[in-house]
Amino acid sequence: MNYQWYPGHMTKAKRMMQENIGLIDLVIELVDARIPLSSRNPDIDELGKNKARLVLLNKSDLADAGANKLWMEYFRGKGFHVLEINARSGQGLRAIQGMVKEACKEKIERDRKRGIRNRPIRAIVVGIPNVGKSTFINSFAGKACTKTGNKPGVTKGKQWIRLNRELELLDTPGILWPKFESEEVGRNLALIGSMNDEILQMTELAADLIAYLLVHYREALFARYQIEEKEQEAKLDATPLIVLQHVCEVRKCYKKGQEADFEKAASIVMDDFRSARIGRITLELPS
């Protein structure tokens, strides 16, 4: 399946980031904890070079807890500051303010030596579509945030969000990049919902997911769809098609004439994965 998807408005969004990066002290990058590498836009490293960096593993509650620890170590090894968060519930958000100060301590010290005090750190929040950026900003800022108006050199109409006297955020639209480096990256992005489902073959996508789960999360998959221990032969011979057939049976996914409705079964599997009803699943690990 071709997973490329790059709407025209994303070019404009990238240009806006390039125009504003000179005003920034810190790049806060949200990634999806289920696919931390695939959900990183490679353009961000170039845009954010020579800037302090903070990576937030969002939706960490949906990802494998053991894998989260491996990814924390991976990003620290790259010289980034990193935290696990769940923007929707607020988990991990209280630690961000202290981590921001730690990431920007050199900037804060330079300002102090110049006699500059109480100048807020300016951070840009970046991330691909559906990584939870807006939810993060709303949760992190809460009701206390105020728009501080246009800053010199900022494209007209862009608003900064003042969280407190120490930190201001500039939100950016979620952007992908024009060509994914591998089909696996495109598949992973499609699985978590960073592309428009309407342009995808969802039955084929669900089959790709099941193929991965059969290798890495087999027991969780069977438990979710009630493939009992007595069905050892079915377990040994399971294929994505067999699993989808079983989902049709246990979830009563039938068309007229009792024909199996694989599209409906695929939709159920995708919804179950995205909401962690199959379990906490990570789709890639550090190499």
Side-chain angles (χ1 to χ4, degrees):
M1 190 192 310
N2 181 9
Y3 292 108
Q4 301 295 333
W5 184 58
Y6 191 69
H9 73 273
M10 292 187 180
T11 301
K12 182 179 179 181
K14 180 182 176 181
R15 189 179 307 119
M16 185 273 283
M17 290 175 61
Q18 292 169 327
E19 292 170 351
N20 289 286
I21 199 69
L23 302 170
I24 299 302
D25 304 307
L26 171 68
V27 176
I28 299 177
E29 181 181 7
L30 270 76
V31 300
D32 191 301
R34 295 166 295 180
I35 55 166
L37 208 57
S38 294
S39 60
R40 293 195 69 226
N41 186 331
D43 293 338
I44 300 302
D45 283 340
E46 179 63 25
L47 287 168
K49 64 182 180 182
N50 303 321
K51 303 292 181 181
R53 303 291 297 275
L54 172 58
V55 173
L56 301 179
L57 292 173
N58 193 28
K59 305 184 182 181
S60 60
D61 58 312
L62 304 180
D64 188 312
N68 286 347
K69 293 178 181 178
L70 294 176
W71 281 111
M72 295 275 285
E73 295 173 6
Y74 171 85
F75 285 114
R76 288 187 186 120
K78 295 288 186 182
F80 296 167
H81 293 77
V82 58
L83 285 170
E84 287 182 58
I85 69 165
N86 176 357
R88 191 170 298 280
S89 71
Q91 172 199 342
L93 298 189
R94 289 186 177 181
I96 292 177
Q97 190 79 32
M99 189 67 77
V100 166
K101 289 183 179 180
E102 175 66 22
C104 295
K105 62 183 179 181
E106 293 183 5
K107 180 262 183 192
I108 295 170
E109 180 61 19
R110 285 197 305 270
D111 283 353
R112 187 189 66 78
K113 289 180 178 179
R114 295 171 183 167
I116 301 171
R117 299 186 183 277
N118 300 322
R119 184 161 76 180
I121 293 168
R122 292 177 178 173
I124 190 169
V125 182
V126 298
I128 66 169
N130 206 39
V131 80
K133 203 154 49 64
S134 296
T135 302
F136 161 69
I137 289 177
N138 290 336
S139 298
F140 187 43
K143 295 181 180 178
C145 70
T146 57
K147 292 180 179 178
T148 59
N150 294 337
K151 296 288 184 181
V154 181
T155 306
K156 185 177 180 181
K158 301 298 182 294
Q159 296 285 343
W160 290 74
I161 302 169
R162 167 163 281 187
L163 277 79
N164 49 51
R165 291 188 302 174
E166 298 177 329
L167 181 61
E168 294 181 354
L169 297 181
L170 176 63
D171 189 14
T172 62
I175 56 172
L176 293 172
W177 54 107
K179 186 172 179 59
F180 303 141
E181 52 270 38
S182 72
E183 184 174 322
E184 182 180 355
V185 169
R187 182 206 67 186
N188 287 343
L189 291 169
L191 284 170
I192 68 165
S194 289
M195 299 182 192
N196 186 345
D197 284 349
E198 294 180 0
I199 70 167
L200 301 170
Q201 297 291 331
M202 296 303 289
T203 304
E204 185 177 340
L205 184 61
D208 285 348
L209 172 63
I210 292 169
Y212 178 86
L213 297 179
L214 284 169
V215 175
H216 300 281
Y217 295 93
R218 196 177 185 89
E219 293 305 317
L221 178 67
F222 290 144
R224 178 63 186 170
Y225 300 114
Q226 303 163 26
I227 300 178
E228 304 294 340
E229 287 296 328
K230 62 184 179 181
E231 300 180 55
Q232 289 297 326
E233 185 176 347
K235 282 192 173 189
L236 291 172
D237 297 334
T239 65
L241 183 60
I242 287 174
V243 172
L244 280 174
Q245 179 74 53
H246 193 85
V247 174
C248 288
E249 294 172 3
V250 298
R251 297 301 174 86
K252 310 301 181 189
C253 302
Y254 297 113
K255 301 177 181 178
K256 290 182 179 179
Q258 293 298 294
E259 179 186 353
D261 190 339
F262 287 107
E263 290 184 7
K264 186 175 181 180
S267 179
I268 289 172
V269 172
M270 291 301 301
D271 287 344
D272 284 351
F273 161 69
R274 289 174 177 175
S275 60
R277 286 190 288 268
I278 297 174
R280 294 178 62 169
I281 293 167
T282 296
L283 296 176
E284 61 185 9
L285 294 173
S287 58

